[in-house]
């Protein structure tokens, strides 16, 4: 089948933001769906007696091949509730490969408000605090070339017994090599401790959890498309790279700054700059 690539897509382009998590003071949220904040009671059927109650502060929406989760909670030391929300590039539909940018953020907010869970004002949305930022770079390369590069990275990797640290090759269900992961996402830290993953993007789009989305938006991609994805876990990591931790600030980060962060993190997993140049 002939692949169809949107003219705007540049596979060997710059780094861009793939996903992140935001928090907004709950007092600023309007039209909250009753299912997002509700009390769940356990009742004895024989007597009707309520034997326990608990708060359910989470609701998710599954639509068009993707999922968005909404939750309400607090942060130790701050005497207020917040709405926590994960946003990602799939909210952009056919513009998925562009990543989260200034030009697409209105589309993201409109999509979120269309779910009927909450209504978020634009001012609250762009001023939201940001954590758990995933940055990605898509590139065209032969599978063998990427595998050779990552095998070299694995050889240079310093073994660790710490939780969430280490390197792991990935294969598909049929045994095909699909990439390498460095460190665990939940334990992502700074420098050599940061979560990074290289994976075969075409194979990823064919997985059951992804295929509906890519088919719906006619996002057929080249078979030799790869992705390097890396994570900036929290405010401490964002500060290290002098990044603004608001939504409006992070989406205005110059592509060159994201490229520089990528280069810095690549240097933590492979020391030979020649090998890095070969991949770049």
């Amino acid at each position: 089948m002939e692949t169809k690539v949107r003219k705007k897509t540049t596979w060997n382009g710059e780094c861009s933001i793939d996903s992140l998590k935001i928090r907004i003071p709950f007092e600023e949220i309007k039209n909250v769906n009753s299912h997002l904040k509700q009390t769940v009671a356990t009742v004895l059927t024989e007597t009707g007696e309520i034997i326990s109650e608990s708060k359910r502060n989470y609701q998710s929406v599954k639509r068009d091949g993707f999922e968005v989760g909404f939750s309400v909670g607090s942060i130790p030391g701050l005497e207020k509730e917040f709405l926590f929300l994960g946003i990602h590039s799939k909210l952009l539909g056919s513009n998925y490969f562009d990543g989260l940018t200034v030009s697409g953020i209105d589309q993201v907010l409109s999509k979120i408000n269309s779910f009927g869970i909450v209504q978020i004002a634009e001012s609250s949305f762009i001023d939201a605090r940001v954590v758990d930022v995933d940055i990605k770079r898509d590139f065209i390369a032969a599978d063998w070339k990427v595998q050779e590069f990552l095998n070299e990275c694995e050889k240079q990797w310093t073994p660790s017994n710490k939780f969430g640290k280490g390197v792991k090759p990935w294969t598909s269900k049929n045994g095909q090599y699909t990439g390498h992961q460095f460190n665990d996402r939940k334990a992502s830290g700074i420098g050599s401790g940061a979560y990074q993953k290289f994976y075969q993007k075409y194979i990823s789009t064919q997985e059951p959890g992804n295929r509906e989305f890519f088919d719906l938006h006619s996002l057929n991609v080249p078979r030799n498309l790869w992705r390097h994805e890396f994570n900036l876990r929290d405010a401490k990591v964002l500060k290290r790279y002098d990044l603004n931790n608001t939504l409006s600030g992070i989406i205005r980060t110059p592509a060159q700054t994201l490229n520089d962060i990528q280069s810095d993190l690549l240097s933590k997993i492979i020391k030979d700059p020649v090998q890095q140049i070969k991949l770049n």
Side-chain angles (χ1 to χ4, degrees), residues 110-221:
S110 177
K111 193 75 171 180
I112 291 169
N113 284 337
S114 73
F115 295 147
I117 307 299
V118 296
Q119 289 293 305
I120 305 173
E122 180 181 358
S123 58
S124 296
F125 190 59
I126 63 175
D127 289 339
R129 295 293 178 177
V130 169
V131 293
D132 204 11
V133 181
D134 272 5
I135 301 170
K136 55 86 175 176
R137 180 190 173 202
D138 297 317
F139 60 95
I140 295 289
D143 290 355
W144 68 265
K145 183 177 180 180
V146 181
Q147 185 172 7
E148 182 180 82
F149 165 78
L150 293 172
N151 285 340
E152 185 63 29
C153 291
E154 185 173 359
K155 290 177 185 177
Q156 297 186 32
W157 186 256
T158 303
S160 174
N161 293 323
K162 294 182 179 179
F163 171 75
K165 308 300 181 185
V167 57
K168 177 182 180 181
W170 286 86
T171 57
S172 63
K173 290 182 179 179
N174 62 7
Q176 182 179 2
Y177 172 76
T178 58
H180 268 69
Q181 176 179 318
F182 298 84
N183 300 316
D184 183 77
R185 174 180 292 279
K186 293 182 179 179
S188 185
I190 294 176
S192 61
Y195 164 85
Q196 300 188 60
K197 186 175 182 179
F198 286 84
Y199 62 98
Q200 224 286 356
K201 188 61 181 178
Y202 173 79
I203 294 176
S204 173
T205 66
Q206 302 305 300
E207 294 173 351
N210 288 324
R211 187 161 187 170
E212 178 187 353
F213 172 82
F214 287 91
D215 286 350
L216 179 65
H217 297 287
S218 300
L219 289 169
N220 298 313
V221 302

Side-chain angles (χ1 to χ4, degrees), residues 137 139-141 144-146 148-149 270 272-280:
R137 180 190 173 202
F139 60 95
I140 295 289
W144 68 265
K145 183 177 180 180
V146 181
E148 182 180 82
F149 165 78
I270 189 165
D272 182 358
V274 175
Q275 288 290 337
Q276 292 185 49
I277 292 171
K278 285 182 180 178
L279 184 65
N280 290 335

